[in-house]
Amino acid sequence: MAAQMTDAHRRFLQVLMSNGITEGSEARKIHQHCCETDKVYYAHDKLDDFISTINSHLQPLFMQIRKGLSEDDGRAHYAVVNLAETEVTKMASDYTEIELELFRKTMDLIILSENGFASSTDILNLADQFKTKKMKKKEAEQVLKVFVEDKWLSEKNGEYTLHTRCIIEMEQYILSNYQDVARKCNICHSLAIQSQVCESCGIGMHLPCVRKYFRAQAEPRCPKCNEFWSCDIPGMSRMGSQTHHRTPFLALDDASKT
Ligand SMILES: [Zn+2]
Ligand SMILES: [Zn+2]
């Protein structure tokens, strides 16, 4: 059943591995490029089949190309995941023990937070309390910067969250290690770090999923318990009349428009 792995497949895999994470439209371009370069049958709508061929051959190696959605804008991304390494140890070859400790602590803060963000102040304060060896604030700041460059964390105005790459690669690890706190999105059923949470029943939804789900509804109600959805719906400004007018319960997210 498994289709033949061609040079185009191998080339595609290589590019994805060296990218770390690849955005969907970029993956489609690479798909086309690889097929044309190696003169292999190409159809623009067959990327998923192309990837599942690669995945069937990666299976014995406990590896897989996985697709995940960005928690910011809901766009698809691809990353090559090593299923055998279910720990943060998949980062072990690239970072020192103390850097990994900072990463684990940061991940704790992010996952245990309400909204999926940890402030740099909170992270830097943690670095002060390491058991083995203390980390200076300057040093910790530098390491955080590297985690952002390497696409394990992403940062917005001094607040850190997990990068899409990290979520795709570590979803299983996070779900099993943070069983009581990690939540899955009620809409797309994948791990939700940045999410809105229902005040009455506690389900969570990604922001892009919230946006999509409530788009068609006159009044936002929780898909599970049907209570009024009290969080601000992101990107609902198109419903309101022009600029400064805010409806009482749909606060317009002006910042997201700029
Ligand atoms: Zn979702
Ligand atoms: Zn609810």
Side-chain angles (χ1 to χ4, degrees):
M1 168 78 203
Q4 200 62 39
M5 184 98 158
T6 67
D7 283 345
H9 292 93
R10 279 183 275 272
R11 191 185 297 272
F12 182 86
L13 175 61
Q14 250 167 32
V15 177
L16 254 67
M17 286 180 91
S18 70
N19 280 358
I21 183 155
T22 306
E23 201 266 313
S25 63
E26 179 63 20
R28 285 190 289 278
K29 271 185 224 154
I30 300 167
H31 175 216
Q32 179 173 14
H33 172 77
C34 292
C35 289
E36 286 171 2
T37 308
D38 293 304
K39 302 188 172 56
V40 165
Y41 167 74
Y42 167 74
H44 70 92
D45 57 345
K46 290 284 188 268
L47 177 59
D48 285 347
D49 292 349
F50 189 81
I51 288 175
S52 65
T53 298
I54 299 173
N55 279 344
S56 66
H57 290 265
L58 284 179
Q59 207 176 2
L61 307 171
F62 301 104
M63 286 169 72
Q64 194 179 57
I65 298 176
R66 276 225 188 137
K67 187 179 179 175
L69 303 181
S70 152
E71 295 200 322
D72 290 322
D73 55 21
R75 285 188 303 172
H77 287 71
Y78 296 88
V80 182
V81 177
N82 189 331
L83 302 168
E85 293 171 354
T86 52
E87 239 277 44
V88 174
T89 49
K90 66 175 78 215
M91 299 165 67
S93 51
D94 298 325
Y95 305 99
T96 64
E97 192 42 55
I98 188 164
E99 289 169 345
L100 289 176
E101 186 169 358
L102 181 69
F103 185 78
R104 284 195 201 94
K105 292 266 158 68
T106 303
M107 193 147 141
D108 285 348
L109 278 181
I110 291 171
I111 293 172
L112 298 176
S113 73
E114 270 288 297
N115 59 356
F117 283 93
S119 73
S120 58
T121 320
D122 289 347
I123 300 170
L124 296 178
N125 283 338
L126 278 183
D128 249 9
Q129 310 156 14
F130 283 179
K131 286 181 218 101
T132 41
K133 184 179 143 215
K134 283 192 180 173
M135 204 178 208
K136 291 202 185 81
K137 280 201 169 147
K138 270 251 151 61
E139 215 181 320
E141 268 172 352
Q142 193 51 42
V143 176
L144 285 176
K145 223 172 165 184
V146 173
F147 285 138
V148 170
E149 279 165 16
D150 293 350
K151 298 179 180 150
W152 293 108
L153 296 177
S154 51
E155 187 260 347
K156 272 182 225 160
N157 313 318
E159 299 271 314
Y160 290 82
T161 189
L162 301 184
H163 195 281
T164 308
R165 173 194 188 178
C166 182
I167 295 174
I168 298 176
E169 292 203 24
M170 298 204 190
E171 178 163 13
Q172 291 316 311
Y173 168 78
I174 293 171
L175 288 173
S176 56
N177 283 270
Y178 298 87
Q179 270 173 7
D180 301 331
V181 282
R183 50 172 89 72
K184 284 192 171 188
C185 170
N186 195 261
I187 303 297
C188 70
H189 308 292
S190 52
L191 174 66
I193 302 293
Q194 287 179 59
S195 57
Q196 290 189 347
V197 175
C198 175
E199 277 181 1
S200 22
C201 74
I203 61 141
M205 295 198 273
H206 290 119
L207 304 184
C209 293
V210 164
R211 207 177 297 148
K212 242 186 267 168
Y213 182 77
F214 290 127
R215 190 175 288 160
Q217 308 208 346
E219 196 183 44
R221 290 193 170 272
C222 172
K224 189 167 182 214
C225 69
N226 207 36
E227 281 299 311
F228 185 76
W229 194 264
S230 54
C231 310
D232 295 347
I233 316 289
M236 287 299 269
S237 37
R238 54 168 200 94
M239 280 189 58
S241 38
Q242 287 71 34
T243 40
H244 304 296
H245 187 88
R246 283 171 184 254
T247 54
F249 42 81
L250 293 177
L252 309 178
D253 192 2
D254 293 331
S256 72
K257 292 207 69 188
T258 51

